[in-house]
Amino acid sequence: MLDVPGKLARAFERAGPLLARLQNDGPFRSDEQMLERAQALLSEMTEPEQLAVIDAHPRIGESPDKVSADSFREQGYDRDTTPPEVYLRLARLNEEYEQKFGFRFVVFVNRRPKEALVPVLEARLRGTRDEERRTALGEILAIARDRLRRM
């Protein structure tokens, strides 16, 4: 059986509604079983609950002191050479995204430099709100899968 509370907190940031339900459903036999249950729970949640899970993730390019240790490494702050203009562009795009959709932009960074995320964010701004909500939830699961693999 898995150490559910410790793994969940790292895998899913501060995603309260999802964490609480997974903790109630655990322990799980494997990481894959936990991820399958997380996916099922996300699809059963109300939209406000889904948005709370999405908004638990830090913004791309967020100040390094406002992100978890896992996000710090994933967003490359430990080896950051990002030019200031990229941070400004990400801040503007994040704001535009949140104004348009009403929730945060979430992407599985997968250790890509911040410059590589600018076109991803620009492209995602062309989506619909429902597409973006579903995409964000899928990205959260991809992030969690990667984190669990590295634990």
Side-chain angles (χ1 to χ4, degrees):
M1 295 295 163
L2 300 175
D3 168 26
V4 174
K7 280 195 151 191
L8 287 175
R10 286 191 60 199
F12 293 102
E13 291 282 334
R14 299 167 293 274
L18 179 59
L19 287 175
R21 290 182 190 180
L22 284 170
Q23 285 173 340
N24 286 336
D25 289 356
F28 298 97
R29 291 186 312 275
S30 67
D31 290 344
E32 195 54 42
Q33 183 189 37
M34 180 174 30
L35 288 166
E36 288 171 7
R37 184 62 186 141
Q39 185 172 12
L41 288 169
L42 286 169
S43 68
E44 296 167 6
M45 287 181 174
T46 65
E47 185 174 306
E49 290 171 320
Q50 289 176 341
L51 298 183
V53 171
I54 292 168
D55 287 340
H57 276 263
R59 289 174 182 88
I60 297 301
E62 182 75 76
S63 174
D65 62 328
K66 294 183 180 180
V67 301
S68 69
D70 288 304
S71 288
F72 185 88
R73 281 187 303 281
E74 291 161 355
Q75 290 198 40
Y77 288 110
D78 56 342
R79 60 193 184 290
D80 200 5
T81 59
T82 304
E85 60 271 13
V86 172
Y87 279 108
L88 292 172
R89 182 76 178 132
L90 284 171
R92 284 192 297 275
L93 289 168
N94 275 318
E95 186 175 320
E96 184 179 341
Y97 186 96
E98 290 174 25
Q99 288 292 315
K100 179 176 181 179
F101 298 117
F103 51 87
R104 286 191 181 160
F105 169 72
V106 177
V107 65
F108 175 32
V109 173
N110 197 19
R111 291 162 280 292
R112 291 178 280 183
K114 289 173 193 64
E115 293 93 335
L117 301 175
V118 170
V120 174
L121 183 42
E122 289 170 337
R124 297 247 320 256
L125 274 163
R126 294 189 289 271
T128 68
R129 188 172 190 280
D130 282 342
E131 288 169 341
E132 281 305 302
R133 184 176 44 81
R134 286 190 303 272
T135 298
L137 295 171
E139 295 290 296
I140 287 167
L141 290 169
I143 293 164
R145 178 171 272 110
D146 183 64
R147 287 179 177 182
L148 289 166
R149 183 184 55 75
R150 291 184 292 116
M151 280 185 213

